[in-house]
Amino acid sequence: MPGLFDNNASSFESLNFPGHYIRHKNFELWIDASDGSDLFRKDATFSITTPLYLK
């Protein structure tokens, strides 16, 4: 799904809990309900990149 804050990034919504997204806070990943704030949308938006090292 397109990112909540940036359409060029990605956000991940829970299948079991609609309206809840993976977000980072305090250096941990959480599944939280969206509160609609800019901070939440930024915390729940991830850039998908190539791994630094592949075996």
Side-chain angles (χ1 to χ4, degrees):
M1 116 178 284
L4 295 174
F5 189 74
D6 179 355
N7 287 335
N8 295 317
S10 297
S11 291
F12 304 95
E13 185 175 8
S14 171
L15 291 175
N16 296 345
F17 301 100
H20 290 66
Y21 295 85
I22 296 174
R23 73 179 293 197
H24 66 86
K25 61 180 179 180
N26 300 323
F27 301 98
E28 298 176 333
L29 293 176
W30 291 76
I31 296 179
D32 282 338
S34 175
D35 62 8
S37 70
D38 276 347
L39 179 60
F40 183 91
R41 291 196 314 267
K42 288 178 184 177
D43 285 350
T45 301
F46 299 87
S47 295
I48 307 300
T49 62
T50 307
L52 296 175
Y53 176 74
L54 293 174
K55 287 188 174 184

